[in-house]
Amino acid sequence: MTPEGQTLLNQGATELGLNVEGQLPQFEQLLNLLVEANSRVNLTALKTESDIVLKHFVDSLSCLRGGHLDGAGLRVLDIGTGAGFPTLPLAIVRPDAAFTPLDSIRKKIDFVRSAAEALNLTGVTPLVGRAETLGRDPDHRETYDRVVCRAVAALPILAELGLPLLKPGGLLVAQKGPIGEEELHAGRRAAGEVGGRVTEVDAFTLPVLGDARTLVVIEKVGPTPKKYPRREGVPNQQPLF
Ligand code: SAM
């Protein structure tokens, strides 16, 4: 990573209240692995160092705002992790948590697995599959303390995919761009239908770049009816609200 890249990462992390000086070598290694893999397979549209540092690394770390991922030994599922975001940056700064990055696309999970191994992130267990399938699997349903997801789907869809996988009292932390009243309203209704309640809508700007971001937090306040999640593809094709 160039000195400029390091400065951007430090500056972004500092604005989020984090100190990542000690983890710079791991972020540098992740950057190199991503750039190298991206030259062979199309993993992510972001290709420049500053884009990867700010829009992948710092953006993923912004998930830590509000302290929703604080606490030792949390089990965290990342739905639609793609090339490992937000899981990989989070796992670098939260080595005590157990992360399960999930994606339906095998080549993406192959990269996440090899990167986690190279970075010695022993708490990361990547999984190929769909959230709808996992949500009906007794080995996964209601077993996670947190579900995170970045840039995956509209809020009502995320509620249906994420809530079945949370333990009672668990939190879904959805990372989104600017969110409209309509989506938020539909998200609140969908959350209610699957045993959740929107407890926080945190609108902020991304460090350095100033792009608008929103963290929406849904708490699991009651059981999720057995009929959810519906079968593969249905939450997307026919959102609850
Ligand atoms: N979270 C990553 C990021 O922010 O860079 C990737 C975002 S990408 C736009 C969305 C990803 O979600 C894709 O890789 C897609 O395969 C995955 N995805 C969408 N719906 C899914 C589902 N129901 N189960 C598992 N993965 C899903």
Side-chain angles (χ1 to χ4, degrees):
M1 194 185 293
T2 63
E4 291 78 19
Q6 292 188 7
T7 303
L8 285 177
L9 182 54
N10 276 328
Q11 195 182 337
T14 303
E15 281 189 41
L16 291 168
L18 301 166
N19 181 346
V20 297
E21 281 280 353
Q23 286 92 31
L24 278 179
Q26 278 175 298
F27 280 108
E28 177 162 24
Q29 204 181 349
L30 178 56
L31 173 78
N32 292 340
L33 290 169
L34 196 58
V35 170
E36 195 279 322
N38 225 13
S39 67
R40 287 182 283 110
V41 278
N42 189 18
L43 286 175
T44 157
L46 302 181
K47 311 234 188 273
T48 67
E49 178 185 81
S50 64
D51 269 357
I52 292 172
V53 165
L54 293 172
K55 296 183 183 172
H56 275 328
F57 296 173
V58 175
D59 191 43
S60 293
L61 294 175
S62 72
C63 190
L64 297 169
R65 280 173 62 92
H68 304 298
L69 296 186
D70 291 355
L74 290 180
R75 276 173 59 83
V76 184
L77 176 72
D78 176 5
I79 294 179
T81 193
F85 300 102
T87 282
L88 293 172
L90 291 177
I92 290 174
V93 301
R94 287 274 188 279
D96 56 312
F99 288 91
T100 304
L102 171 78
D103 206 287
S104 52
I105 300 179
R106 181 171 296 278
K107 73 171 180 186
K108 296 189 177 183
I109 290 299
D110 284 346
F111 170 76
V112 179
R113 185 174 294 112
S114 64
E117 279 171 12
L119 295 171
N120 199 26
L121 299 172
T122 51
V124 176
T125 310
L127 215 54
V128 180
R130 291 196 61 100
E132 296 93 320
T133 314
L134 224 62
R136 288 193 300 271
D137 179 341
D139 287 342
H140 292 274
R141 191 177 174 98
E142 292 211 336
T143 65
Y144 294 93
D145 301 294
R146 302 286 182 268
V147 169
V148 294
C149 42
R150 190 184 80 146
V152 172
L155 208 49
I157 300 164
L158 297 178
E160 179 172 357
L161 296 179
L163 268 288
L165 289 150
L166 283 171
K167 294 177 187 168
L171 303 178
L172 168 76
V173 180
Q175 289 188 278
K176 303 186 68 72
I179 182 169
E181 268 312 311
E182 206 176 314
E183 182 181 347
L184 198 51
H185 181 64
R188 287 187 202 279
R189 294 181 70 190
E193 174 72 16
V194 295
R197 187 165 58 89
V198 175
T199 54
E200 195 170 322
V201 181
D202 174 18
F204 64 101
T205 53
L206 196 61
V208 187
L209 289 177
D211 296 357
R213 293 284 187 274
T214 316
L215 280 187
V216 181
V217 181
I218 303 178
E219 182 180 355
K220 180 154 176 163
V221 292
T224 303
K226 280 206 170 59
K227 61 182 172 182
Y228 300 121
R230 292 168 293 167
R231 65 189 162 76
E232 288 192 11
V234 179
N236 274 76
Q237 288 150 14
Q238 297 161 31
L240 286 172
F241 292 98

PDB file of all heavy atoms in Angstrom, residues 78-83 101-110 126-134 152 161 232-233 236:
ATOM      1  N   ASP A  78     -22.640 -12.646   7.691  1.00  0.00           N
ATOM      2  CA  ASP A  78     -22.603 -11.572   6.690  1.00  0.00           C
ATOM      3  C   ASP A  78     -23.315 -12.086   5.437  1.00  0.00           C
ATOM      4  O   ASP A  78     -22.761 -12.902   4.680  1.00  0.00           O
ATOM      5  CB  ASP A  78     -21.129 -11.221   6.406  1.00  0.00           C
ATOM      6  CG  ASP A  78     -20.956 -10.189   5.303  1.00  0.00           C
ATOM      7  OD1 ASP A  78     -21.954  -9.656   4.799  1.00  0.00           O
ATOM      8  OD2 ASP A  78     -19.784  -9.926   4.954  1.00  0.00           O
ATOM      9  N   ILE A  79     -24.550 -11.628   5.228  1.00  0.00           N
ATOM     10  CA  ILE A  79     -25.340 -12.104   4.081  1.00  0.00           C
ATOM     11  C   ILE A  79     -24.921 -11.362   2.813  1.00  0.00           C
ATOM     12  O   ILE A  79     -24.921 -10.136   2.787  1.00  0.00           O
ATOM     13  CB  ILE A  79     -26.851 -11.912   4.336  1.00  0.00           C
ATOM     14  CG1 ILE A  79     -27.318 -12.810   5.481  1.00  0.00           C
ATOM     15  CG2 ILE A  79     -27.651 -12.210   3.066  1.00  0.00           C
ATOM     16  CD1 ILE A  79     -28.802 -12.661   5.823  1.00  0.00           C
ATOM     17  N   GLY A  80     -24.569 -12.107   1.760  1.00  0.00           N
ATOM     18  CA  GLY A  80     -24.159 -11.503   0.486  1.00  0.00           C
ATOM     19  C   GLY A  80     -22.836 -10.775   0.618  1.00  0.00           C
ATOM     20  O   GLY A  80     -22.688  -9.619   0.225  1.00  0.00           O
ATOM     21  N   THR A  81     -21.842 -11.467   1.122  1.00  0.00           N
ATOM     22  CA  THR A  81     -20.534 -10.856   1.423  1.00  0.00           C
ATOM     23  C   THR A  81     -19.746 -10.472   0.174  1.00  0.00           C
ATOM     24  O   THR A  81     -18.827  -9.657   0.247  1.00  0.00           O
ATOM     25  CB  THR A  81     -19.702 -11.809   2.298  1.00  0.00           C
ATOM     26  OG1 THR A  81     -18.577 -11.121   2.832  1.00  0.00           O
ATOM     27  CG2 THR A  81     -19.219 -13.037   1.516  1.00  0.00           C
ATOM     28  N   GLY A  82     -20.094 -11.040  -0.988  1.00  0.00           N
ATOM     29  CA  GLY A  82     -19.322 -10.738  -2.205  1.00  0.00           C
ATOM     30  C   GLY A  82     -17.867 -11.141  -2.008  1.00  0.00           C
ATOM     31  O   GLY A  82     -17.548 -12.271  -1.627  1.00  0.00           O
ATOM     32  N   ALA A  83     -16.968 -10.194  -2.245  1.00  0.00           N
ATOM     33  CA  ALA A  83     -15.531 -10.477  -2.094  1.00  0.00           C
ATOM     34  C   ALA A  83     -15.076 -10.323  -0.628  1.00  0.00           C
ATOM     35  O   ALA A  83     -13.888 -10.143  -0.366  1.00  0.00           O
ATOM     36  CB  ALA A  83     -14.733  -9.550  -2.996  1.00  0.00           C
ATOM     37  N   PRO A 101     -19.103 -15.364   6.563  1.00  0.00           N
ATOM     38  CA  PRO A 101     -19.468 -14.648   5.335  1.00  0.00           C
ATOM     39  C   PRO A 101     -20.155 -15.615   4.364  1.00  0.00           C
ATOM     40  O   PRO A 101     -19.618 -16.690   4.057  1.00  0.00           O
ATOM     41  CB  PRO A 101     -18.120 -14.164   4.796  1.00  0.00           C
ATOM     42  CG  PRO A 101     -17.083 -15.043   5.424  1.00  0.00           C
ATOM     43  CD  PRO A 101     -17.668 -15.644   6.668  1.00  0.00           C
ATOM     44  N   LEU A 102     -21.349 -15.228   3.906  1.00  0.00           N
ATOM     45  CA  LEU A 102     -22.170 -16.103   3.061  1.00  0.00           C
ATOM     46  C   LEU A 102     -22.389 -15.448   1.704  1.00  0.00           C
ATOM     47  O   LEU A 102     -22.704 -14.264   1.627  1.00  0.00           O
ATOM     48  CB  LEU A 102     -23.536 -16.300   3.742  1.00  0.00           C
ATOM     49  CG  LEU A 102     -24.618 -17.006   2.929  1.00  0.00           C
ATOM     50  CD1 LEU A 102     -24.370 -18.513   2.911  1.00  0.00           C
ATOM     51  CD2 LEU A 102     -26.008 -16.705   3.508  1.00  0.00           C
ATOM     52  N   ASP A 103     -22.231 -16.220   0.649  1.00  0.00           N
ATOM     53  CA  ASP A 103     -22.614 -15.724  -0.681  1.00  0.00           C
ATOM     54  C   ASP A 103     -23.004 -16.919  -1.536  1.00  0.00           C
ATOM     55  O   ASP A 103     -22.479 -18.029  -1.365  1.00  0.00           O
ATOM     56  CB  ASP A 103     -21.496 -14.924  -1.350  1.00  0.00           C
ATOM     57  CG  ASP A 103     -22.047 -13.916  -2.369  1.00  0.00           C
ATOM     58  OD1 ASP A 103     -22.484 -14.354  -3.455  1.00  0.00           O
ATOM     59  OD2 ASP A 103     -22.074 -12.702  -2.061  1.00  0.00           O
ATOM     60  N   SER A 104     -23.919 -16.671  -2.486  1.00  0.00           N
ATOM     61  CA  SER A 104     -24.363 -17.766  -3.348  1.00  0.00           C
ATOM     62  C   SER A 104     -23.366 -18.019  -4.480  1.00  0.00           C
ATOM     63  O   SER A 104     -23.479 -19.027  -5.171  1.00  0.00           O
ATOM     64  CB  SER A 104     -25.748 -17.432  -3.912  1.00  0.00           C
ATOM     65  OG  SER A 104     -25.709 -16.151  -4.499  1.00  0.00           O
ATOM     66  N   ILE A 105     -22.402 -17.127  -4.662  1.00  0.00           N
ATOM     67  CA  ILE A 105     -21.465 -17.282  -5.783  1.00  0.00           C
ATOM     68  C   ILE A 105     -20.141 -17.882  -5.293  1.00  0.00           C
ATOM     69  O   ILE A 105     -19.410 -17.268  -4.501  1.00  0.00           O
ATOM     70  CB  ILE A 105     -21.241 -15.926  -6.487  1.00  0.00           C
ATOM     71  CG1 ILE A 105     -22.587 -15.424  -7.026  1.00  0.00           C
ATOM     72  CG2 ILE A 105     -20.212 -16.043  -7.600  1.00  0.00           C
ATOM     73  CD1 ILE A 105     -22.533 -14.081  -7.722  1.00  0.00           C
ATOM     74  N   ARG A 106     -19.858 -19.094  -5.782  1.00  0.00           N
ATOM     75  CA  ARG A 106     -18.722 -19.848  -5.257  1.00  0.00           C
ATOM     76  C   ARG A 106     -17.381 -19.144  -5.442  1.00  0.00           C
ATOM     77  O   ARG A 106     -16.536 -19.129  -4.547  1.00  0.00           O
ATOM     78  CB  ARG A 106     -18.686 -21.254  -5.896  1.00  0.00           C
ATOM     79  CG  ARG A 106     -17.558 -22.145  -5.394  1.00  0.00           C
ATOM     80  CD  ARG A 106     -17.687 -23.571  -5.868  1.00  0.00           C
ATOM     81  NE  ARG A 106     -18.876 -24.214  -5.339  1.00  0.00           N
ATOM     82  CZ  ARG A 106     -18.973 -24.765  -4.127  1.00  0.00           C
ATOM     83  NH1 ARG A 106     -17.924 -24.743  -3.324  1.00  0.00           N
ATOM     84  NH2 ARG A 106     -20.082 -25.325  -3.724  1.00  0.00           N
ATOM     85  N   LYS A 107     -17.180 -18.530  -6.616  1.00  0.00           N
ATOM     86  CA  LYS A 107     -15.851 -17.926  -6.857  1.00  0.00           C
ATOM     87  C   LYS A 107     -15.568 -16.793  -5.860  1.00  0.00           C
ATOM     88  O   LYS A 107     -14.416 -16.548  -5.498  1.00  0.00           O
ATOM     89  CB  LYS A 107     -15.703 -17.449  -8.312  1.00  0.00           C
ATOM     90  CG  LYS A 107     -16.498 -16.214  -8.634  1.00  0.00           C
ATOM     91  CD  LYS A 107     -16.160 -15.632 -10.008  1.00  0.00           C
ATOM     92  CE  LYS A 107     -17.020 -14.395 -10.226  1.00  0.00           C
ATOM     93  NZ  LYS A 107     -16.959 -13.791 -11.494  1.00  0.00           N
ATOM     94  N   LYS A 108     -16.623 -16.135  -5.417  1.00  0.00           N
ATOM     95  CA  LYS A 108     -16.420 -15.060  -4.432  1.00  0.00           C
ATOM     96  C   LYS A 108     -16.030 -15.661  -3.084  1.00  0.00           C
ATOM     97  O   LYS A 108     -15.105 -15.179  -2.414  1.00  0.00           O
ATOM     98  CB  LYS A 108     -17.689 -14.205  -4.304  1.00  0.00           C
ATOM     99  CG  LYS A 108     -18.018 -13.466  -5.597  1.00  0.00           C
ATOM    100  CD  LYS A 108     -19.129 -12.457  -5.416  1.00  0.00           C
ATOM    101  CE  LYS A 108     -19.373 -11.701  -6.723  1.00  0.00           C
ATOM    102  NZ  LYS A 108     -20.386 -10.662  -6.623  1.00  0.00           N
ATOM    103  N   ILE A 109     -16.716 -16.711  -2.698  1.00  0.00           N
ATOM    104  CA  ILE A 109     -16.402 -17.348  -1.409  1.00  0.00           C
ATOM    105  C   ILE A 109     -15.022 -18.024  -1.459  1.00  0.00           C
ATOM    106  O   ILE A 109     -14.299 -18.034  -0.459  1.00  0.00           O
ATOM    107  CB  ILE A 109     -17.525 -18.338  -1.019  1.00  0.00           C
ATOM    108  CG1 ILE A 109     -18.780 -17.546  -0.661  1.00  0.00           C
ATOM    109  CG2 ILE A 109     -17.109 -19.238   0.142  1.00  0.00           C
ATOM    110  CD1 ILE A 109     -18.638 -16.585   0.518  1.00  0.00           C
ATOM    111  N   ASP A 110     -14.641 -18.535  -2.629  1.00  0.00           N
ATOM    112  CA  ASP A 110     -13.280 -19.105  -2.753  1.00  0.00           C
ATOM    113  C   ASP A 110     -12.250 -18.026  -2.436  1.00  0.00           C
ATOM    114  O   ASP A 110     -11.248 -18.277  -1.765  1.00  0.00           O
ATOM    115  CB  ASP A 110     -13.047 -19.640  -4.177  1.00  0.00           C
ATOM    116  CG  ASP A 110     -13.754 -20.967  -4.399  1.00  0.00           C
ATOM    117  OD1 ASP A 110     -14.182 -21.592  -3.403  1.00  0.00           O
ATOM    118  OD2 ASP A 110     -13.879 -21.359  -5.575  1.00  0.00           O
ATOM    119  N   PRO A 126     -16.092 -19.088   5.851  1.00  0.00           N
ATOM    120  CA  PRO A 126     -16.909 -18.730   4.681  1.00  0.00           C
ATOM    121  C   PRO A 126     -17.833 -19.872   4.253  1.00  0.00           C
ATOM    122  O   PRO A 126     -17.510 -21.054   4.427  1.00  0.00           O
ATOM    123  CB  PRO A 126     -15.865 -18.452   3.600  1.00  0.00           C
ATOM    124  CG  PRO A 126     -14.563 -18.305   4.328  1.00  0.00           C
ATOM    125  CD  PRO A 126     -14.675 -19.182   5.528  1.00  0.00           C
ATOM    126  N   LEU A 127     -18.969 -19.487   3.667  1.00  0.00           N
ATOM    127  CA  LEU A 127     -19.989 -20.463   3.300  1.00  0.00           C
ATOM    128  C   LEU A 127     -20.590 -20.092   1.951  1.00  0.00           C
ATOM    129  O   LEU A 127     -20.956 -18.931   1.734  1.00  0.00           O
ATOM    130  CB  LEU A 127     -21.085 -20.380   4.371  1.00  0.00           C
ATOM    131  CG  LEU A 127     -21.825 -21.637   4.811  1.00  0.00           C
ATOM    132  CD1 LEU A 127     -20.884 -22.729   5.257  1.00  0.00           C
ATOM    133  CD2 LEU A 127     -22.792 -21.261   5.932  1.00  0.00           C
ATOM    134  N   VAL A 128     -20.710 -21.093   1.055  1.00  0.00           N
ATOM    135  CA  VAL A 128     -21.420 -20.872  -0.217  1.00  0.00           C
ATOM    136  C   VAL A 128     -22.879 -21.259   0.008  1.00  0.00           C
ATOM    137  O   VAL A 128     -23.156 -22.355   0.502  1.00  0.00           O
ATOM    138  CB  VAL A 128     -20.854 -21.760  -1.346  1.00  0.00           C
ATOM    139  CG1 VAL A 128     -21.616 -21.499  -2.664  1.00  0.00           C
ATOM    140  CG2 VAL A 128     -19.377 -21.531  -1.547  1.00  0.00           C
ATOM    141  N   GLY A 129     -23.806 -20.397  -0.343  1.00  0.00           N
ATOM    142  CA  GLY A 129     -25.215 -20.759  -0.209  1.00  0.00           C
ATOM    143  C   GLY A 129     -26.094 -19.539  -0.234  1.00  0.00           C
ATOM    144  O   GLY A 129     -25.609 -18.415  -0.374  1.00  0.00           O
ATOM    145  N   ARG A 130     -27.389 -19.778  -0.096  1.00  0.00           N
ATOM    146  CA  ARG A 130     -28.352 -18.684  -0.093  1.00  0.00           C
ATOM    147  C   ARG A 130     -28.928 -18.497   1.302  1.00  0.00           C
ATOM    148  O   ARG A 130     -29.149 -19.471   2.037  1.00  0.00           O
ATOM    149  CB  ARG A 130     -29.489 -18.965  -1.090  1.00  0.00           C
ATOM    150  CG  ARG A 130     -29.018 -18.910  -2.540  1.00  0.00           C
ATOM    151  CD  ARG A 130     -30.204 -18.794  -3.474  1.00  0.00           C
ATOM    152  NE  ARG A 130     -30.993 -17.611  -3.253  1.00  0.00           N
ATOM    153  CZ  ARG A 130     -30.914 -16.506  -3.983  1.00  0.00           C
ATOM    154  NH1 ARG A 130     -30.065 -16.425  -4.981  1.00  0.00           N
ATOM    155  NH2 ARG A 130     -31.696 -15.471  -3.720  1.00  0.00           N
ATOM    156  N   ALA A 131     -29.197 -17.255   1.641  1.00  0.00           N
ATOM    157  CA  ALA A 131     -29.723 -16.949   2.976  1.00  0.00           C
ATOM    158  C   ALA A 131     -31.069 -17.641   3.205  1.00  0.00           C
ATOM    159  O   ALA A 131     -31.376 -18.051   4.333  1.00  0.00           O
ATOM    160  CB  ALA A 131     -29.868 -15.440   3.134  1.00  0.00           C
ATOM    161  N   GLU A 132     -31.870 -17.796   2.123  1.00  0.00           N
ATOM    162  CA  GLU A 132     -33.178 -18.443   2.289  1.00  0.00           C
ATOM    163  C   GLU A 132     -33.005 -19.896   2.760  1.00  0.00           C
ATOM    164  O   GLU A 132     -33.795 -20.402   3.571  1.00  0.00           O
ATOM    165  CB  GLU A 132     -33.957 -18.462   0.956  1.00  0.00           C
ATOM    166  CG  GLU A 132     -34.334 -17.100   0.403  1.00  0.00           C
ATOM    167  CD  GLU A 132     -33.288 -16.559  -0.570  1.00  0.00           C
ATOM    168  OE1 GLU A 132     -32.079 -16.724  -0.307  1.00  0.00           O
ATOM    169  OE2 GLU A 132     -33.686 -15.960  -1.584  1.00  0.00           O
ATOM    170  N   THR A 133     -31.981 -20.574   2.211  1.00  0.00           N
ATOM    171  CA  THR A 133     -31.735 -21.973   2.571  1.00  0.00           C
ATOM    172  C   THR A 133     -31.197 -22.064   3.991  1.00  0.00           C
ATOM    173  O   THR A 133     -31.627 -22.896   4.794  1.00  0.00           O
ATOM    174  CB  THR A 133     -30.694 -22.588   1.587  1.00  0.00           C
ATOM    175  OG1 THR A 133     -31.063 -22.215   0.267  1.00  0.00           O
ATOM    176  CG2 THR A 133     -30.640 -24.096   1.708  1.00  0.00           C
ATOM    177  N   LEU A 134     -30.271 -21.196   4.303  1.00  0.00           N
ATOM    178  CA  LEU A 134     -29.661 -21.197   5.643  1.00  0.00           C
ATOM    179  C   LEU A 134     -30.722 -20.921   6.716  1.00  0.00           C
ATOM    180  O   LEU A 134     -30.694 -21.501   7.804  1.00  0.00           O
ATOM    181  CB  LEU A 134     -28.596 -20.101   5.697  1.00  0.00           C
ATOM    182  CG  LEU A 134     -27.270 -20.447   6.347  1.00  0.00           C
ATOM    183  CD1 LEU A 134     -26.583 -21.562   5.594  1.00  0.00           C
ATOM    184  CD2 LEU A 134     -26.371 -19.222   6.413  1.00  0.00           C
ATOM    185  N   VAL A 152     -26.909  -5.242  -0.353  1.00  0.00           N
ATOM    186  CA  VAL A 152     -27.423  -6.526  -0.831  1.00  0.00           C
ATOM    187  C   VAL A 152     -28.842  -6.413  -1.385  1.00  0.00           C
ATOM    188  O   VAL A 152     -29.120  -6.923  -2.474  1.00  0.00           O
ATOM    189  CB  VAL A 152     -27.353  -7.599   0.289  1.00  0.00           C
ATOM    190  CG1 VAL A 152     -28.062  -8.877  -0.141  1.00  0.00           C
ATOM    191  CG2 VAL A 152     -25.889  -7.902   0.625  1.00  0.00           C
ATOM    192  N   LEU A 161     -34.727 -12.146   5.117  1.00  0.00           N
ATOM    193  CA  LEU A 161     -33.564 -13.042   5.022  1.00  0.00           C
ATOM    194  C   LEU A 161     -32.814 -13.133   6.354  1.00  0.00           C
ATOM    195  O   LEU A 161     -32.325 -14.192   6.737  1.00  0.00           O
ATOM    196  CB  LEU A 161     -32.593 -12.549   3.937  1.00  0.00           C
ATOM    197  CG  LEU A 161     -33.111 -12.532   2.499  1.00  0.00           C
ATOM    198  CD1 LEU A 161     -32.025 -11.998   1.561  1.00  0.00           C
ATOM    199  CD2 LEU A 161     -33.544 -13.927   2.060  1.00  0.00           C
ATOM    200  N   GLU A 232     -36.225 -19.931  -2.063  1.00  0.00           N
ATOM    201  CA  GLU A 232     -35.189 -19.158  -2.768  1.00  0.00           C
ATOM    202  C   GLU A 232     -35.759 -18.235  -3.844  1.00  0.00           C
ATOM    203  O   GLU A 232     -36.508 -18.684  -4.700  1.00  0.00           O
ATOM    204  CB  GLU A 232     -34.187 -20.112  -3.425  1.00  0.00           C
ATOM    205  CG  GLU A 232     -33.313 -20.783  -2.419  1.00  0.00           C
ATOM    206  CD  GLU A 232     -32.146 -21.494  -3.080  1.00  0.00           C
ATOM    207  OE1 GLU A 232     -31.913 -21.298  -4.284  1.00  0.00           O
ATOM    208  OE2 GLU A 232     -31.459 -22.244  -2.357  1.00  0.00           O
ATOM    209  N   GLY A 233     -35.396 -16.995  -3.796  1.00  0.00           N
ATOM    210  CA  GLY A 233     -35.775 -16.036  -4.822  1.00  0.00           C
ATOM    211  C   GLY A 233     -37.070 -15.305  -4.528  1.00  0.00           C
ATOM    212  O   GLY A 233     -37.279 -14.182  -4.992  1.00  0.00           O
ATOM    213  N   ASN A 236     -37.036 -11.731  -2.912  1.00  0.00           N
ATOM    214  CA  ASN A 236     -36.656 -10.692  -3.873  1.00  0.00           C
ATOM    215  C   ASN A 236     -37.780 -10.395  -4.865  1.00  0.00           C
ATOM    216  O   ASN A 236     -38.030  -9.241  -5.194  1.00  0.00           O
ATOM    217  CB  ASN A 236     -35.434 -11.137  -4.679  1.00  0.00           C
ATOM    218  CG  ASN A 236     -34.157 -10.810  -3.961  1.00  0.00           C
ATOM    219  OD1 ASN A 236     -33.810 -11.502  -3.004  1.00  0.00           O
ATOM    220  ND2 ASN A 236     -33.476  -9.756  -4.376  1.00  0.00           N
TER     221      ASN A 236
END
